[in-house]
Amino acid sequence: MLYTLGYALAGALMLAVVASKTRALILDPKNVRVLGLAVAHLALTIAFVSAIPTNYESIDRLTGIPNLATLVVYSGVTISLGAAVVCHHALEMPQQRARTAGRRQLVVTAAAVAAMAVLFALADVHDASHPLDFDAHYALDPLAVAFQLAWWTAYSTNLVHLARVCRRTARASRLPWLRAGLGLVPIGCVIALGYTVGKAAQVAAAWAGADLTWVSTALAPGLATLGAVTMALGWSVPLVPRWALRVRTWRDLRPLYAALRVVNPALADNTPAVTVLYRRLIATNDLLRALRPHLAPEVDRFAQAEADRLGLDGRGRHAAIEAARIAAGLRAHAAGQKFDGATMIREYQHVDADPGQADMAAHGALLWRNPPGDPDYRLAMEVSALCEIGRAWRLPHPLVAAVLANRATDALAEPR
């Protein structure tokens, strides 16, 4: 039951990562980084699902080849690690070098799988299914040990290679979340190497007349699973800023978008739905343009003066002023008021932003997750700035309340 639950949960986690890569892969199937991670996690999903004891026995029963599922599991993990190495070569190296290194890795991976298949066919391991104790049961069969040695070698060398590549990439990265995620992968590799140590120790003990079956059947698989999950988490960490950006967009930009729809509902509905984020951003910008005739110039002047009185500066000042202008503009639209000489709502201006505070983490996550053809690829900074305005409008910021109170008592506002 423990094996079934552990392998099923690990397989579900891997499948979730595959699903997260599917959309990006469809948009840009030639992106080696996304393709490598998708193949790596898909192969690992197959390996974990095949290792579940009931599935293991089903594969053997359907094919008529006892323990064939062991070859499926070992091949799946080998392909997974090979694909992950290819992915990280593409992330670390110039394109031409990455292609050369990737082809070399694919050849090595194919050779390892072929060697395991040949040794599995020649070994005397086809008497009965052994989903939990394959290594221990055949520990004294020379060809079975050779098969396991081929597997351990492919597994361990790929883990060491992957750990080294990830460490180099993490050290060179300027993106905090990418660096943190890639820093987790080598830790997972080290944990997973405990699998090889445990399996080898059990076989050596068997040849010496000792019994360490529990190491092979309990400790080693547990370390392999924990290592794989740690690596998967490491590859997922760089996506955290993107997920946070989505949550922030839903929380801060969605209410503003909903309020602006009254300005021109048809304009909002006719925005092309390339992606949800892209549609929301473009529609919001279009609606802000439609709101321009209802923006009173004196509101901007009063908001600037009030921001000085409140001691606001930087991005917070910019967001509060623009949110106040939007709130006053929506009130003027509802009253049918229009004004001359109004300037556009400034979604983002470099003069208002501190370059040192650029959200490199969010931008890096989009680069890691999305191919260049994805419209979300370049949106992180613009969405972040617009969300700040949306948040100031939603709360609302004290400056917004002050501007609205002033407009309610200002008798000098003259509609055109």
Side-chain angles (χ1 to χ4, degrees):
M1 180 61 184
L2 184 60
Y3 288 98
T4 298
L5 181 61
Y7 291 155
L9 289 176
L13 175 62
M14 303 306 154
L15 192 60
V17 177
V18 173
S20 74
K21 303 297 176 187
T22 300
R23 176 172 164 271
L25 191 57
I26 292 172
L27 289 169
D28 188 6
K30 294 183 180 180
N31 188 310
V32 178
R33 288 174 290 180
V34 178
L35 178 61
L37 282 182
V39 171
H41 287 86
L42 179 60
L44 204 52
T45 300
I46 294 172
F48 274 120
V49 171
S50 300
I52 296 173
T54 54
N55 295 341
Y56 185 105
E57 293 171 349
S58 296
I59 293 172
D60 293 354
R61 186 170 57 254
L62 290 172
T63 60
I65 305 175
N67 298 309
L68 178 63
T70 291
L71 180 61
V72 173
V73 172
Y74 292 175
S75 298
V77 176
T78 302
I79 292 170
S80 172
L81 292 174
V85 171
V86 170
C87 164
H88 285 283
H89 279 323
L91 185 66
E92 176 193 34
M93 299 178 178
Q95 189 176 35
Q96 191 57 46
R97 284 185 58 202
R99 286 179 178 174
T100 302
R103 292 191 188 101
R104 184 168 58 248
Q105 182 61 42
L106 291 176
V107 170
V108 171
T109 300
V113 172
M116 286 191 293
V118 170
L119 290 170
F120 177 80
L122 295 176
D124 185 17
V125 294
H126 311 301
D127 53 345
S129 292
H130 291 277
L132 302 179
D133 62 345
F134 177 90
D135 301 306
H137 186 79
Y138 299 108
L140 298 179
D141 183 280
L143 282 176
V145 173
F147 166 66
Q148 294 176 56
L149 283 172
W151 151 238
W152 298 337
T153 301
Y155 179 72
S156 301
T157 53
N158 275 329
L159 285 174
V160 172
H161 191 179
L162 184 60
R164 292 176 61 189
V165 171
C166 286
R167 284 192 64 190
R168 288 199 303 267
T169 307
R171 287 174 177 175
S173 176
R174 295 181 300 123
L175 307 175
W177 287 93
L178 181 59
R179 188 166 59 245
L182 294 183
L184 267 181
V185 175
I187 296 175
C189 292
V190 172
I191 294 173
L193 282 171
Y195 169 90
T196 302
V197 175
K199 292 288 187 178
Q202 186 276 320
V203 171
W207 281 83
D211 183 10
L212 289 179
T213 300
W214 70 271
V215 174
S216 178
T217 58
L219 180 61
L223 290 173
T225 302
L226 179 60
V229 170
T230 303
M231 285 184 276
L233 289 175
W235 285 316
S236 300
V237 163
L239 304 183
V240 170
R242 176 178 174 80
W243 295 333
L245 187 63
R246 284 183 173 179
V247 171
R248 187 179 179 188
T249 301
W250 181 86
R251 182 193 66 193
D252 294 333
L253 191 55
R254 180 171 168 268
L256 179 61
Y257 168 78
L260 288 168
R261 279 180 59 88
V262 300
V263 177
N264 192 332
L267 182 63
D269 294 335
N270 292 332
T271 303
V274 182
T275 70
V276 174
L277 180 61
Y278 185 81
R279 175 177 180 173
R280 184 63 51 81
L281 179 64
I282 298 302
T284 301
N285 284 332
D286 288 343
L287 290 168
L288 287 173
R289 292 187 187 94
L291 185 66
R292 180 177 180 176
H294 307 282
L295 301 175
E298 55 267 28
V299 169
D300 194 5
R301 292 191 292 269
F302 178 82
Q304 296 284 354
E306 189 68 10
D308 292 337
R309 188 184 69 81
L310 294 174
L312 302 179
D313 58 11
R315 298 174 69 94
R317 174 191 177 96
H318 166 78
I321 291 173
E322 300 310 309
R325 296 180 65 210
I326 292 171
L330 287 171
R331 180 172 290 184
H333 173 269
Q337 295 177 314
K338 291 186 177 182
F339 306 91
D340 289 323
T343 58
M344 273 293 299
I345 293 295
R346 300 169 299 164
E347 294 89 354
Y348 180 75
Q349 289 193 0
H350 291 289
V351 296
D352 295 319
D354 179 2
Q357 299 298 317
D359 193 358
M360 290 295 291
H363 189 56
L366 290 172
L367 295 176
W368 172 253
R369 169 65 174 78
N370 291 326
D374 192 321
D376 293 353
Y377 182 81
R378 299 180 182 90
L379 298 185
M381 299 302 292
E382 188 174 359
V383 171
S384 179
L386 199 54
C387 281
E388 288 185 15
I389 296 174
R391 184 171 187 271
W393 178 87
R394 175 179 61 85
L395 290 177
H397 191 280
L399 179 60
V400 175
V403 167
L404 291 178
N406 175 264
R407 294 302 292 165
T409 58
D410 191 354
L412 298 178
E414 299 179 1
R416 176 169 57 85

